[in-house]
């Protein structure tokens, strides 16, 4: 909790005029051809040398490489420079890399500034060298001006609690929880449904090995429930997240089960007596359950919950003859539980795309048009039809089934998603194969645009689907589905290989709908302050190098919450996220950038304007000295108070007014001629 | 669309106006717009070479003095980039910006500058394309507006 | 059975595609991933040979043959493909634009051409009964029952306007394109305009303003009024506009070889006249070849 000694922090901004012993080294990185191929680096070097206090300007192919780093280190070691500016990629990418050089050479890491001339100049002006050069020069001006004003700061060390919060208990959350729990960290596994398991529990078999999904998932679910380090918080939702990396305070709403979870034995007698019949969400409404229920027999925890939206409060379940342990409690209320954790893993999964808006496919109007997940439950031996899919209209076994790919995904129209959902091709082939196994005489068509069989063993799986099973792959997206009077379906499209329109009568159509971000993804994102990509999924810190980190320190992303993936990828990412979180927690402490704000008491007039501005309650008022005081541990370093202070009494480390003003002066300086 | 309410210092010939490349100072918040600008870069979204980007941790940190100073020193436009409302990394820093900037726009109008010299835009970390569009639009408007009259000339 | 050709070499020129995607909204045509939704949706394609997907494919690939094909004329512009395209390609708009480009280059169906000839002669695409005065015709009685003058205020009541229309057609080079020459008896176009006649123009505007169907009388009246109102001063401004629209390539060639062009124009018209009589399929190919060679 405690932040490092603050006495070494600068308390005044007044003496920060550049003194004579500032020697700035400018290092211009070619980044291969990314920068060097667009702008003239020799000219940049000459330009850099004209900037104030610059004593050295060098260029090199890759400054992030060993040799490049060594060159900077050598200059510092030889005392040639004591301020470093690297003009290269985004500081979000390599700032830590270069700061480490300064630390290793005994220089304060905050005497470093990075001019972003790749993402913000050469990459956005690839065909305009002169323009890119102009922007690069200005960015260099700005950073050289800033580096001259920079102050030495001590990085802050904060403790990391050896505990983790995992939001979402699907296959991603379960794997992360197990990996962290088995390493000895305390894990709180929060799940909004009454059971853990997520979407994977609904699947029948998994491609390409045709493993039974429950057979590989349920042991994991049981393992989670048995692990002493893991606390399952099912039927709960995260309400509020406070704090920062290493020290999050999380409020979790434990929704009322109306069944005392400590007394319930999961015998199921109550469900037998309950007179209410509602559609079971687990089977997508295709089977029924009572108002007091567990979602499916293998649910973990297998304890009952009353669905108060449908309960008629008849009280039958509460009688002692039905519930011997007297677990039913209609007066139960939601509880808020607060846990303190060091890291957070977001594994909230996905929603399947709602396809009812696609009028030409008639989902919702035509009984025999079903979605992929409905077919999955139909095929499941634990599903509503015990593994023997039937036509919804008449309960007969369908002779011909058509799967239609890319429904709702790879579609740029409003209400659909332009991305590829990555799982639909394979699950459609899998379902067709499963159906063919049961009914070899059946006709199975898969209407596709491209088959994306990219995983290990996937292409072979695809090959055998047509080769061994005779599934007919039809290249072309269906244009429309019409219902015949006998409820069979007339499908129209084009066989693009033959180049002719086709019309075909089938008994059933499966719309292979893709996945999309959870409807409440925005809520989760703002709870844990992470970003979302344009597709709605949570955004990783770097698409290639940091795929499980979020932009917020201490918060990791796992599973489809980050983007569409199949089970092997989800598990890999979950393990990656667990590893990321474990690194922080095993070390027990983490360095955070000391960008907090400080009140210069001599200047503070005690107007208290800043107090209301702080969203974290970090500013208190010292009524004795009549000044504001900022608690550095609570301050997250946004600097809103700084811009509010009418006396300029507050300064934010590394972003002081003087430093920011120097950037503006540097780039729009007095000597600049237009 | 753009009314020139500015003090016209001198009349320019057409060629000069065409050659005019506006100087835009972008003050971007670290978590949304700066990252969005990075994303625009990694996606190679081409935009006119007029935007210089300065990073602050939160758009709430943007002081009116900075904008006034930039305009006083001859920047043709200042583009403040903030997170979307509700997405702020610091809970609500951008709320404060949203309330501050219109006042500031009024102020710079009183100074005799065109209100378009200051733009506040909400650009999230994944909206590189939006940023590109905004910059294109802003450059166009500033080109019509002509150089900042406070600019020092040769 | 056709003889096997050992090499089928694509002649990808991109010329039509480049022209098409000048319209920013149509640029997305290049994103087509050939899913076939358009063909599958096409009510015309179920009965005719149009394969919408293949039209788009030719555009995406840059095969100029697309504008000479019959396919683009088989579209009923019902916009079903437009609604359903997962890549949001404005398929119908693309086809309409292609028709414009095809017409500009002289690829027209004989009936379409015939309609333009009728227009040039009468000022109406679908002429009204041509009895002198027309008092006894049903349409004139109908007009009278609505309290309208018996003869609409079109070229019927203003025969002079026919000259205006012809002048317009001549000024834009449309007459040349459709192979129409005025009768020797009828008043020919003023010589002042003749001098500018060699400017080949974008016929987009002309085509758009020429309604092919004129079902209701009111619309007939409007269209006719339009035609009548097109006085010479208006046509002058239009000339400028159309001249501007002309591709630079063409401009150059016009400037350089005005005299040559005149000769070739004459040749072309005569050819077209003869082609009119022959079936379209047989004439179109050689015509194209000629045009190509001329360009080269």
């Amino acid at each position: 909790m405690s932040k490092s000694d603050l006495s070494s922090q600068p308390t005044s901004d007044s003496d920060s005029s550049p003194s004579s012993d500032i020697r700035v080294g400018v290092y211009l990185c070619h980044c291969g051809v990314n920068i060097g191929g667009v702008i003239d680096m020799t000219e940049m070097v000459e330009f850099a040398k004209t900037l104030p206090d610059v004593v050295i300007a060098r260029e090199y192919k890759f400054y992030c490489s060993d040799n490049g780093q060594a060159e900077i280190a050598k200059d510092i070691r030889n005392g040639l420079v004591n301020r470093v500016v690297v003009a290269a990629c985004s500081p979000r990418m390599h700032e830590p890399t270069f700061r480490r050089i300064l630390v290793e050479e005994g220089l304060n890491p905050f005497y470093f500034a990075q001019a972003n001339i790749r993402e913000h100049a050469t990459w956005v002006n690839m065909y305009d060298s002169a323009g890119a050069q102009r922007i690069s020069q200005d960015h260099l001006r700005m950073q050289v001006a800033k580096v001259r004003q920079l102050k030495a700061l001590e990085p802050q060390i904060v403790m990391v609690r050896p505990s983790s919060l995992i939001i979402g208990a699907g296959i991603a959350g379960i794997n992360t929880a197990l990996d962290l729990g088995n390493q000895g960290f305390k894990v709180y596994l929060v799940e909004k449904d009454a059971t853990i398991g997520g979407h994977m529990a609904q699947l029948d078999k998994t491609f390409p090995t045709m493993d039974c999904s429950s057979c590989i998932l349920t042991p994991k679910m049981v393992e989670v429930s048995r692990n002493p380090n893991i606390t399952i918080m099912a039927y709960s939702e995260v309400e509020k997240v406070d704090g920062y990396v290493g020290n999050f305070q999380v409020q979790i709403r434990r929704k009322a089960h109306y069944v005392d979870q400590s007394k319930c034995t999961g015998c199921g007698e109550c469900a037998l007596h309950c007179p209410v019949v509602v559609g079971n969400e687990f089977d997508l409404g295709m089977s029924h359950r009572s108002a007091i229920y567990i979602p499916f027999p293998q649910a973990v925890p297998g304890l009952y919950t009353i669905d108060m939206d449908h309960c008629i409060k008849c009280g039958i379940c509460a009688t002692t003859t039905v519930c011997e342990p007297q677990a039913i409690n209609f007066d139960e209320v939601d509880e808020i539980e607060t846990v303190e954790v060091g890291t957070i893993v977001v594994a909230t999964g996905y929603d399947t795309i709602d396809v009812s808006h696609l009028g030409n496919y008639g989902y919702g109007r035509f009984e025999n048009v079903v979605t992929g997940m409905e077919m999955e439950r139909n095929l499941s031996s634990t599903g509503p039809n015990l593994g023997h899919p039937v036509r919804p209209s008449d309960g007969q076994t369908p002779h011909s089934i058509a799967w239609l790919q890319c429904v709702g995904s790879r579609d740029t129209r409003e209400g659909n998603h332009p991305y590829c959902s990555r799982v639909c091709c394979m699950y459609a082939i899998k379902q067709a194969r499963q159906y063919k196994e049961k009914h070899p005489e059946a006709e199975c068509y898969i209407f596709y645009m491209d088959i994306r069989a990219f995983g290990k063993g996937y292409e072979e799986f695809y090959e055998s689907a047509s080769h061994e099973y005779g599934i007919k792959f039809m290249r072309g997206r269906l244009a429309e589905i019409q219902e015949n009077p006998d409820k069979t379906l007339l499908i129209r499209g084009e066989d693009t290989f033959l180049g002719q329109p086709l019309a075909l009568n089938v008994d059933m159509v499966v719309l292979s709908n893709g996945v999309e971000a959870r409807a409440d993804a925005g809520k989760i994102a703002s709870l844990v302050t992470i970003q979302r990509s344009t597709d709605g999924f949570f955004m990783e810190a770097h698409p290639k190098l940091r795929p499980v980190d979020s932009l917020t320190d201490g918060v990791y992303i796992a599973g489809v919450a980050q983007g569409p993936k199949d089970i092997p990828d989800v598990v890999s990412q979950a393990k990656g996220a667990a590893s990321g979180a474990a690194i922080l927690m095993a070390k027990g402490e983490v360095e955070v950038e000391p960008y907090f704000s400080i009140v210069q008491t001599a200047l503070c007039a005690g107007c208290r304007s800043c107090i209301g501005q702080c969203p974290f309650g970090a500013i208190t008022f010292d009524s004795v000295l009549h000044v504001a005081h900022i608690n550095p541990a609570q301050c997250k370093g946004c600097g809103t108070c700084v811009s509010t202070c009418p006396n300029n009494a507050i300064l934010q480390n590394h972003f002081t007014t003087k430093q920011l003003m120097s950037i503006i002066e540097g780039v729009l300086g007095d000597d600049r001629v237009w | 669309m753009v009314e020139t309410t500015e003090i016209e210092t001198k009349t320019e010939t057409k060629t000069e106006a065409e050659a005019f490349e506006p100087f835009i100072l972008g003050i971007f918040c670290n978590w949304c717009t700066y990252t969005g600008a990075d994303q625009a870069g990694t996606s190679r979204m081409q935009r006119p070479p007029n935007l210089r980007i300065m990073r602050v941790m939160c758009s709430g940190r943007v002081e009116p003095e900075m904008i006034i100073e930039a305009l006083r020193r001859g920047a043709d436009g200042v583009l403040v980039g903030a997170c979307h409302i509700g997405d702020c990394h610091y809970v609500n820093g951008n709320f404060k910006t949203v309330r501050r900037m219109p006042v500031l726009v009024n102020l710079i109008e009183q100074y005799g500058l065109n209100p378009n010299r200051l733009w506040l835009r909400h650009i999230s970390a994944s909206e590189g394309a939006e940023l590109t569009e905004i910059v294109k639009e802003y450059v166009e408007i500033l080109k019509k507006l002509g150089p900042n009259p406070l600019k020092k000339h040769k | 059975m056709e003889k096997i050709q050992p090499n089928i070499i694509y002649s990808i020129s991109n010329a039509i595609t480049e022209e098409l995607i000048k319209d920013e909204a149509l640029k997305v045509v290049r994103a087509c991933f050939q899913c076939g939704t358009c063909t599958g949706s096409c009510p015309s394609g179920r009965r005719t040979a149009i394969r919408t997907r293949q039209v788009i494919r030719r555009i995406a690939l840059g095969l100029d043959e697309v504008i000479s094909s019959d396919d683009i004329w088989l579209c009923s512009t019902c916009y079903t493909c437009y609604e359903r395209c997962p890549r949001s390609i404005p398929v119908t708009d693309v086809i309409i634009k292609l028709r414009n480009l095809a017409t500009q280059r002289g690829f027209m169906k004989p009936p379409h051409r015939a309609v333009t000839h009728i227009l040039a002669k009468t000022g109406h695409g679908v002429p009204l009964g041509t009895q002198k005065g027309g008092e006894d015709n049903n349409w004139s009685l109908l007009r009278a029952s609505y309290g309208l003058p018996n003869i609409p205020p079109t070229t019927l009541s203003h025969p002079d306007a026919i000259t205006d229309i012809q002048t317009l057609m001549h000024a834009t080079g449309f007459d040349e394109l459709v192979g129409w020459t005025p009768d020797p008896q009828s008043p020919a176009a003023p010589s002042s305009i003749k001098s500018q006649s060699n400017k080949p123009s974008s016929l987009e505007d002309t085509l758009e303003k020429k309604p092919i169907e004129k079902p209701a009388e009111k619309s007939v009246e409007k269209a006719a009024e339009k035609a009548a109102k097109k006085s010479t001063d208006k046509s002058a401004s239009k000339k400028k506009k159309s001249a501007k629209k002309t591709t630079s390539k063409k401009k150059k060639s016009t400037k350089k070889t005005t005299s040559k062009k005149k000769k070739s124009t004459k040749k072309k018209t005569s050819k077209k006249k003869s082609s009119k009589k022959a079936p379209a399929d047989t004439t179109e190919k050689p015509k194209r070849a000629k045009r190509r060679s001329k360009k080269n």
Side-chain angles (χ1 to χ4, degrees), chain A residues 360-361 410-413 448-450 475-480 482 492-501, chain C residues 33-42 45-46 48 50-51 53-54 80 82-89:
Chain A
N360 49 332
Y361 296 148
R410 297 187 73 198
D411 194 331
T412 54
R413 290 174 301 165
Y448 70 97
M449 293 191 272
D450 303 279
R475 199 199 170 276
R477 196 168 165 276
L478 283 189
E480 61 195 46
Q482 289 165 7
R492 285 187 187 280
E494 187 196 2
D495 185 320
T496 59
F497 286 145
L498 291 179
Q500 59 191 31
Chain C
F33 59 8
Q34 296 288 301
C35 67
T37 308
C38 44
T39 314
S41 303
C42 186
R46 283 172 209 161
T48 66
I50 181 170
R51 300 287 173 262
R53 178 181 58 82
Q54 293 177 357
T80 312
Y82 184 105
E83 285 292 320
R84 291 181 181 165
C85 178
R87 282 273 161 102
S88 307
I89 298 170

Side-chain angles (χ1 to χ4, degrees), chain A residues 568-644:
Chain A
D569 285 5
V570 165
V571 174
S572 316
Q573 204 187 12
K575 286 183 171 290
S579 160
I583 290 168
L584 277 187
M585 295 192 288
K587 209 177 169 194
E589 57 180 39
V590 64
E591 265 186 21
V592 293
E593 288 162 330
Y595 296 163
F596 57 85
S597 303
I598 296 162
V599 179
Q600 302 171 81
T601 37
L603 293 173
C604 178
C607 72
R608 304 179 215 195
S609 326
C610 52
I611 294 175
Q613 297 284 316
C614 182
F616 308 106
I619 313 178
T620 48
F621 188 67
D622 186 336
S623 49
V624 180
L625 295 172
H626 207 69
V627 289
H629 173 73
I630 297 174
N631 177 4
Q634 274 174 293
C635 175
K636 287 197 180 182
C638 64
T640 307
C641 53
V642 186
S643 47
T644 309

